[in-house]
Amino acid sequence: AATTKNVDDAASDIGQLKADMAKAQADAEELAGAVEDLQASINKKTVESEEAKQLREKERKDYAAIHLDLEASIDAVGRAIRILKAKSKDVPQSLAQVQNSPSIPEEAKSIISGFLETQQGAAPEPNAYEFQSKKVVDLLQEL
């Protein structure tokens, strides 16, 4: 009788173990599917990360090129302002210099000479050129 009971208990244990094995097998298959899903997600995120890195690198290069161009433009504007300001003084043109020019006819030279004799100390020398770029300088400075 004890042997029969032991055989019945062992058979019952075998049945329980087979059920446990079937459940474990089903759980393993379910978890294997989850692992595959997670691996696919990791692969997708890795590709997206690499694409984002490439995009950021391209944008960084674009920014660097634009930044360099803007720095050059700002430098050029600064130089232009300095040059225009340096020329902002009216350029005096002395009648004496005009009188000595070889392209001036002799008659005009004698008229200039007579005028210079009568005007000694009377008035300042006229300016042949007056600075016209103040508005340009102001505009460039506003940039």
Side-chain angles (χ1 to χ4, degrees), residues 29-64:
E29 289 174 7
E30 182 181 334
L31 291 174
V35 167
E36 287 177 12
D37 291 345
L38 290 172
Q39 188 61 46
S41 177
I42 289 170
N43 291 338
K44 180 181 176 188
K45 296 296 182 187
T46 302
V47 168
E48 289 174 355
S49 174
E50 192 58 38
E51 289 172 351
K53 284 179 187 177
Q54 290 173 356
L55 178 63
R56 283 191 302 274
E57 181 62 23
K58 179 188 177 298
E59 288 174 344
R60 186 192 64 78
K61 287 179 181 178
D62 290 347
Y63 168 79

Side-chain angles (χ1 to χ4, degrees), residues 4 8 20 29 33 35 47 50 57 68-69 75-76 80 89 93 96-97 112-114 120 124 131 133-134:
T4 309
D8 288 340
D20 288 346
E29 289 174 7
V35 167
V47 168
E50 192 58 38
E57 181 62 23
L68 187 63
D69 183 48
D75 185 52
K89 306 281 188 267
Q93 183 69 33
Q97 290 172 336
I112 291 172
S113 179
Q120 290 292 328
F131 186 65
S133 301
K134 179 162 178 25

Side-chain angles (χ1 to χ4, degrees), residues 6-34:
N6 285 341
V7 171
D8 288 340
D9 286 344
S12 174
D13 287 344
I14 289 174
Q16 183 62 42
L17 290 173
K18 283 184 179 180
D20 288 346
M21 281 178 35
K23 172 136 176 43
Q25 184 66 29
D27 289 346
E29 289 174 7
E30 182 181 334
L31 291 174

Side-chain angles (χ1 to χ4, degrees), residues 108-139:
K109 286 182 181 181
S110 66
I111 293 172
I112 291 172
S113 179
F115 178 76
L116 288 174
E117 289 174 9
T118 61
Q119 298 295 319
Q120 290 292 328
E125 296 177 356
N127 293 326
Y129 171 79
E130 291 186 16
F131 186 65
Q132 302 291 317
S133 301
K134 179 162 178 25
K135 290 181 182 178
V136 173
V137 170
D138 293 342
L139 175 69

